[in-house]
Amino acid sequence: MTPHDDFLLLILSSPSGAGKTTLTRMLLEECPELRFSVSHTTRAPRSNEVDGRDYHFVDRARFDALVEARAFLEWAEVHGNRYGTSTAEIDRARAVPGCTGMIFDIDYQGARQIGSKVNDVVSVFILPPSMPELERRLRGRASETEETLSRRYAVAEREIEHYALFHYVIVNDDVKRAFDELRSITVAERARRQRRAPLAEALLRAGRLS
């Protein structure tokens, strides 16, 4: 699959508790021309989550049917639940007037799958400043039990092992500084030669005709 001209496909990934959700929200507020890719998941919604806004919440049977229909660009099982990105999400985003890109909030497994199927995707991995700080953030979540905390902490170590799969790595020790880095990456990637080449070539063709 090839990107549509200068349409930006931006993957954000991190272990739970590193601040990916906060940084994603900040980037969407700063760059309203970007659209968030709403994933499908088999996990139950949290109290503050809305179906269709945060995730498409489906049961396992429905998720398996979508896998069988090859409806997902990527999918994986994380923390005992399944998550997947529908190919239709990109098509819907491209159809929105003024939309210039899409943000994917996925783990390293999904990032690897998308990278193998989509040309010129940009991937960013967000690190916590330390493992003790990551544990502190996880414990600060009212939704975490000791069992889920231990599982997420173990998964976090495995996820960090795959940081080298990503183009950029941001350390979220200060959310404002981390966001400044993320925004800078977004701005710089939009100006890459490959993304601006269609416009440059169009200008050259117009000049030759005048």
Side-chain angles (χ1 to χ4, degrees):
M1 183 182 296
T2 302
H4 182 259
D5 299 329
D6 61 348
F7 197 80
L8 178 65
L9 299 177
L10 178 64
I11 292 174
L12 300 183
S13 188
S14 77
S16 294
K20 174 183 57 181
T21 300
T22 298
L23 291 171
T24 299
R25 184 179 67 250
M26 293 171 71
L27 186 60
L28 288 168
E29 289 173 355
E30 180 76 11
C31 304
E33 68 278 9
L34 297 178
R35 185 180 176 92
F36 180 69
S37 174
V38 180
S39 299
H40 287 68
T41 183
T42 58
R43 77 160 172 79
R46 299 188 179 114
S47 59
N48 62 334
E49 291 178 327
V50 177
D51 184 40
R53 184 194 68 186
D54 300 287
Y55 286 98
H56 298 295
F57 295 99
V58 296
D59 59 23
R60 283 226 168 206
R62 174 59 179 157
F63 194 98
D64 290 346
L66 290 169
V67 172
E68 191 69 22
R70 298 185 178 180
F72 290 129
L73 187 60
E74 61 82 26
W75 72 273
E77 185 153 339
V78 183
H79 305 306
N81 294 297
R82 293 184 177 183
Y83 296 81
T85 301
S86 168
T87 304
E89 283 290 307
I90 299 177
D91 297 333
R92 280 194 290 268
R94 287 175 174 167
V96 175
C99 179
T100 62
M102 171 161 273
I103 302 174
F104 300 91
D105 177 351
I106 54 178
D107 76 337
Y108 73 90
Q109 299 176 78
R112 183 158 48 194
Q113 289 181 56
I114 289 181
S116 69
K117 297 175 182 176
V118 180
N119 296 327
D120 206 23
V121 67
V122 179
S123 58
V124 180
F125 193 79
I126 300 163
L127 286 172
S130 68
M131 296 308 285
E133 172 61 16
L134 181 66
E135 182 178 0
R136 186 193 69 78
R137 293 178 186 178
L138 288 173
R139 287 189 180 279
R141 292 179 174 181
S143 61
E144 299 294 343
T145 64
E146 282 298 322
E147 180 183 355
T148 58
L149 175 67
S150 297
R151 185 167 66 243
R152 287 184 185 278
Y153 193 82
V155 171
E157 292 181 330
R158 187 162 68 248
E159 290 176 334
I160 292 172
E161 290 176 353
H162 293 84
Y163 77 91
L165 292 172
F166 296 80
H167 299 109
Y168 300 93
V169 177
I170 295 174
V171 180
N172 187 16
D173 53 354
D174 176 85
V175 69
K176 183 181 182 304
R177 187 194 59 77
F179 173 69
D180 287 342
E181 288 190 4
L182 179 58
R183 186 178 182 280
S184 296
I185 290 169
T186 304
V187 171
E189 284 293 337
R190 282 175 167 167
R192 285 185 64 185
R193 173 174 52 81
Q194 294 95 319
R195 300 187 198 285
R196 297 289 165 84
L199 173 60
E201 294 298 326
L203 291 172
L204 287 172
R205 286 193 297 272
R208 294 187 189 106
L209 292 174
S210 62

